[in-house]
Amino acid sequence: MLTARAAGRCRTLVPILHTPSTRNATIVSPVNFTGHAHKIVVVGGGTAGLSISHQLLRSKRFTQDDIAIIDPATWHHYQPGWTLVGGGVKSKEKLRRPMKNLISSKIKFYNSKVNIFDPESNSITLDDDRNITYEQLVVAPGIQLNWGGVKGLPQALADSHAPVSSIYGYDYCDKVFGDIKAMKRGTAIFTQPSGIVKCAGAPQKIMWLALDYWKKAGLYTSFADSPITIKFATGLSSIFGVPKYAATLDELRRRRGVEGFFQHDLVAIDGNKALFNATLPDGKTEQVTKRFDTLHVVPKMGPYGFIKESPISNDAGYVEVNDQTMQHKRYKNIWSCGDASSLPTSKTMAAVGAQAPVLSNNLLRAIDGKSLDDVYDGYTSCPLTTEYGKVLLAEFKYGGEPSETFKRWFGIDQGTPRRAFYYLKRDFFPWVYYNSMVKGTWRGPKGWSR
């Protein structure tokens, strides 16, 4: 979801081309081939890291172990599917794969953490003190979830009897549907924090599924005498960051009787009470307490410490890259996309699908000493479940401007929730993810490549 500040920045962007001799570029030192040396090192084995490393491998310009991936994870998760796990539609176990099984045998895999970036010497130090050198570096480790950012949240999630859950973690996403089924009467609160989150539409996706479940069970109506009442408390000033889709979603909220609390940022949980920092119309902040019978929480999120504290980050802690080419602004052999990057667009799988081929192409051109002619326009997508069987397929680019694939192809207005889009989210997207995207053959809105 774009902030006003980010949207304002996007409107002033013009295409920027870089070459290795671009003025003000940091001079790249010759790589010292000691220890573990690679032509390409990719930090992160998530959606971005796997897509980019396999796209580069498919260029057939690299041989055995020229490319390396660094990631400490054992499992790779299809996280967009956790919303459907929370809605009782999918099993979380079927949405993950062993990390080592997704990485080509031609790519060196370091199942470790990164401790130190040293861009001046083109090297990385791992948590076991191994030194990794590179010619080109791609940084895409994602962002971290700060469960402790809400006081009392870790304890509530760990308590199987506490009616507090979240679709944002593998260990907790299946607890969500248990809480939904157990709810027979009372107040359900769904929260969204201020600041950056992965898939900023997901906090309300699960709310709409819960509402539809309770409605079908005869437990929810849009009237005052409804057994269950629903509240949506968001730290943001609107229900969605793109005006076209925000209008539809807010109209749904009003029509379905969901009470909205905007600029209400959850800070603590105390028993069955949720404490919010609320921004008042006059700009002042006060703490507000709301009682709940079930609570769905989206945790605070932000950059990993090893990125934030490194010389490659910006003041906010994200990898500082050009908004269009994804080349680092100071170190011209460093690249980044996805959640860890400074790109001012929503942090979604769909965004990575559009970013990865641009980054891969520009990286190869930089190796050849050519100008970076491929440009990322900020494309991202958010398939918003509005009920079981219907999805509003939001697609937009920098500046919050809609960029709708099905409107271009078939003249379909994607501002209306549709059944066909639900099957895309439930069936097609998970299939294409593991069968194509992480293998480097999916190019987002541009479709497949070899």
Side-chain angles (χ1 to χ4, degrees):
M1 193 176 297
L2 295 171
T3 63
R5 179 183 175 188
R9 288 174 56 202
C10 297
R11 284 192 290 270
T12 63
L13 292 175
V14 294
I16 300 173
L17 301 180
H18 295 281
T19 69
S21 60
T22 301
R23 185 166 59 89
N24 296 328
T26 296
I27 296 175
V28 178
S29 306
V31 175
N32 180 17
F33 286 98
T34 60
H36 305 270
H38 304 278
K39 290 184 177 179
I40 310 285
V41 170
V42 179
V43 176
T47 305
L50 289 180
S51 298
I52 292 165
S53 58
H54 287 104
Q55 285 174 12
L56 293 172
L57 186 64
R58 287 178 180 276
S59 72
K60 303 194 182 301
R61 296 178 52 166
F62 303 99
T63 58
Q64 183 70 42
D65 294 346
D66 278 350
I67 302 172
I69 291 177
I70 304 171
D71 195 297
T74 302
W75 294 93
H76 179 98
H77 301 273
Y78 179 70
Q79 295 182 33
W82 289 348
T83 303
L84 296 177
V85 173
V89 176
K90 286 188 175 289
S91 164
K92 68 180 185 180
E93 291 81 8
K94 294 182 178 179
L95 296 173
R96 69 175 186 170
R97 304 283 189 278
M99 179 72 80
K100 63 181 181 180
N101 292 357
L102 298 179
I103 298 174
S104 168
S105 60
K106 294 181 180 180
I107 295 174
K108 176 67 175 179
F109 177 37
Y110 295 96
N111 198 198
S112 302
K113 294 181 180 179
V114 171
N115 268 2
I116 300 171
F117 288 98
D118 186 356
E120 299 297 338
S121 65
N122 301 306
S123 68
I124 294 171
T125 303
L126 303 184
D127 58 353
D128 58 7
D129 292 329
R130 279 183 293 180
N131 185 254
I132 311 296
T133 58
Y134 58 82
E135 294 180 16
Q136 301 286 330
L137 174 66
V138 179
V139 185
I143 55 176
Q144 66 178 340
L145 306 183
N146 180 16
W147 298 103
V150 175
K151 184 179 179 181
L153 176 58
Q155 295 80 3
L157 289 171
D159 183 354
S160 61
H161 300 292
V164 178
S165 59
S166 178
I167 59 168
Y168 273 84
Y170 180 81
D171 293 335
Y172 312 122
C173 59
D174 50 350
K175 186 184 181 186
V176 177
F177 191 57
D179 287 354
I180 291 173
K181 290 191 296 182
M183 182 75 164
K184 305 300 180 184
R185 179 174 295 276
T187 299
I189 300 179
F190 295 81
T191 74
Q192 178 168 355
S194 59
I196 290 174
V197 299
K198 294 191 282 187
C199 190
Q204 60 178 296
K205 294 179 188 180
I206 189 61
M207 177 184 73
W208 297 127
L209 290 179
L211 183 153
D212 198 32
Y213 180 90
W214 292 325
K215 180 180 177 181
K216 290 174 179 176
L219 299 171
Y220 183 80
T221 70
S222 58
F223 304 107
D225 60 351
S226 174
I228 293 175
T229 58
I230 300 175
K231 304 178 188 294
F232 183 60
T234 172
L236 306 177
S237 58
S238 65
I239 197 168
F240 199 72
V242 179
K244 172 178 179 175
Y245 308 119
T248 299
L249 294 167
D250 206 50
E251 193 276 330
L252 275 179
R253 180 187 67 79
R254 295 173 186 275
R255 176 155 49 88
R256 292 175 175 179
V258 174
E259 190 173 5
F261 294 94
F262 298 98
Q263 294 185 294
H264 278 59
D265 199 19
L266 181 67
V267 294
I269 300 169
D270 182 10
N272 65 346
K273 296 177 182 177
L275 284 71
F276 298 86
N277 281 341
T279 302
L280 304 177
D282 61 5
K284 295 180 180 179
T285 301
E286 70 174 13
Q287 195 162 89
V288 175
T289 299
K290 296 187 181 299
R291 185 191 171 282
F292 64 84
D293 294 283
T294 192
L295 177 69
H296 179 270
V297 179
V298 178
K300 295 279 190 180
M301 303 179 200
Y304 285 104
F306 74 95
I307 298 289
K308 189 173 184 178
E309 297 160 10
S310 76
I312 66 173
S313 70
N314 62 11
D315 291 342
Y318 296 91
V319 185
E320 187 178 26
V321 294
N322 180 280
D323 293 347
Q324 297 180 316
T325 65
M326 284 164 279
Q327 184 183 48
H328 200 279
K329 291 183 177 180
R330 289 172 283 119
Y331 302 101
K332 300 306 176 182
N333 65 335
I334 296 180
W335 312 77
S336 182
C337 73
D339 296 356
S341 74
S342 62
L343 299 174
T345 191
S346 292
K347 298 185 181 299
T348 69
M349 183 195 80
V352 171
Q355 293 163 9
V358 174
L359 188 156
S360 299
N361 183 55
N362 281 338
L363 187 154
L364 293 173
R365 292 184 66 85
I367 290 175
D368 294 338
K370 298 178 180 178
S371 62
L372 310 187
D373 65 351
D374 211 346
V375 170
Y376 173 60
D377 64 2
Y379 172 87
T380 188
S381 176
C382 181
L384 263 151
T385 50
T386 56
E387 60 189 272
Y388 288 96
K390 284 192 178 180
V391 159
L392 184 156
L393 185 56
E395 288 184 290
F396 51 98
K397 55 186 179 180
Y398 283 146
E401 180 183 349
S403 179
E404 299 180 346
T405 302
F406 291 91
K407 186 171 185 178
R408 272 196 311 273
W409 292 353
F410 307 112
I412 297 173
D413 182 4
Q414 294 177 206
T416 300
R418 297 178 186 277
R419 184 167 298 277
F421 296 155
Y422 177 79
Y423 294 117
L424 286 178
K425 176 173 176 59
R426 191 190 69 177
D427 303 317
F428 176 74
F429 292 152
W431 177 87
V432 80
Y433 184 81
Y434 278 121
N435 287 279
S436 185
M437 188 169 182
V438 296
K439 296 179 180 179
T441 59
W442 176 252
R443 300 173 63 86
K446 296 180 181 178
W448 279 275
S449 65
R450 291 186 176 182

